[in-house]
Amino acid sequence: MAQALGAGTNPSQTLSLNFKLISHHTLDGFGGVGEGMGLQKTKDGRRIMWLGHEGPPKNFTAVDVTDPKKPKVILQTELPHHKMRSNSLEVCGDMLYVAHQIRGIAAGGTPAGVDIWDISTPENPKKVSHFDASGPHSLGVHCVWCVDNEYMHISSGAADFTPRVPDKDYQFYRIINVKNPSKPVEEGRWWFPGQSVTDKEPPMKRHPKFDSGYRPHNTQWYPQRPDRAYLGYLDGGIVILDISDKSKPKLVSNYNYSPPMNGFTHTAMPLFSKNVMIVTDECTYDDGQDWPKLTWVVNMADETNLVPISTFPLPPAEVFTKRGGRFGSHNLYENYPLDVAWRSDDLILATFFNGGLRVYDMANPFQPQEVAYFVPGAPALSPKGSVQINDVYVDENRLVYTVDRFTGGMYILEMNV
């Protein structure tokens, strides 16, 4: 069972199997963390976890986790105004990439794009540049992926992009060259056929009840297959792109299952050794209103013919949809190809909001088995009356870091599987 949680948390509510809580930090009262987690190993040997916040007033927080039993905040930065968020960030070496998006659907606001920082001295980060993604129909950048300090892969709007449905389809896939971080430039772009007012293709089909839009969420690239990008495209489903020519990405395949399913494909992560993808559909409504939101195993042996073969088992929805807030699929630990990151095609870590953090054994992709979980009690002052576990990171030593969406901050765990 878990050790005692931070002040204000009810430990009697905690559910735990094969996890040991090492420490819990509420981030000095600003515990709402988005989908931005990145670990840095400094030149003097310290380990710094960088966290992007779900919303204002904070931009990002740096936590020294060199001693995981005693994490300490060494830096918190402020957003320039309350109508923006820094939901996503990436750390690669001594570089930090922070996505900025205007909150709500008030397109045209600034700053909107990606800030690039030199964090070689973590207590004194220096902004290197800002990649501007603002525009009359743009909310900026929702997610950023950069694991080589050469290219950012982003879900982004742009000043010269006009979507057919402005309040739904305002972001698309962009590749940004950051080899010179002081002058990031766009290398290529792709959007779903029919998404732009300039397209000849017909309008896309829409879910009659849960129309979340056609735009990418996670935009992932791996050195194991450098000519491919893997996108979760919300109501557009799974998208695989050929980016061998980064200036002209081409569609390899698209598997779209909404409708009849409820859409919002979030992440499409390949497991190359198994020829499968793990695909999540984000739950975006409280109390199970958009249930089911599942995590799928999809066969990609023929990447032009994607076939779902199983889903991750979950605790009973009739129980968890009554716990408060969201319950359903969301994020994955994404097998970052970095020196300070763990990688496995056999154990998959996934977050499920009030369903906590869960681990699945992929020995048989047709029948994944749950082997561990950690569901903290409701954090103090949680507006939903429950934990909302949002994201997860695993370092090269298999130490697990997971975060709450609202007030809970960061939990550091030992995984015993």
Side-chain angles (χ1 to χ4, degrees), residues 226-228 241-250:
D227 60 344
R228 293 291 185 265
L241 297 177
D242 180 342
I243 59 168
S244 52
D245 180 352
K246 291 182 174 60
S247 67
K248 297 177 180 179
K250 297 178 181 178

Side-chain angles (χ1 to χ4, degrees), residues 258-302:
S258 170
M261 301 305 288
N262 292 337
F264 217 103
T265 303
H266 182 286
T267 302
M269 180 179 73
L271 304 183
F272 295 104
S273 69
K274 297 183 183 296
N275 272 328
V276 301
M277 304 174 74
I278 309 300
V279 179
T280 70
D281 294 339
E282 182 182 355
C283 167
T284 59
Y285 288 74
D286 290 349
D287 306 320
Q289 295 177 58
D290 59 346
W291 181 261
K293 286 300 181 77
L294 304 173
T295 303
W296 304 81
V297 182
V298 176
N299 186 298
M300 66 169 195
D302 178 354

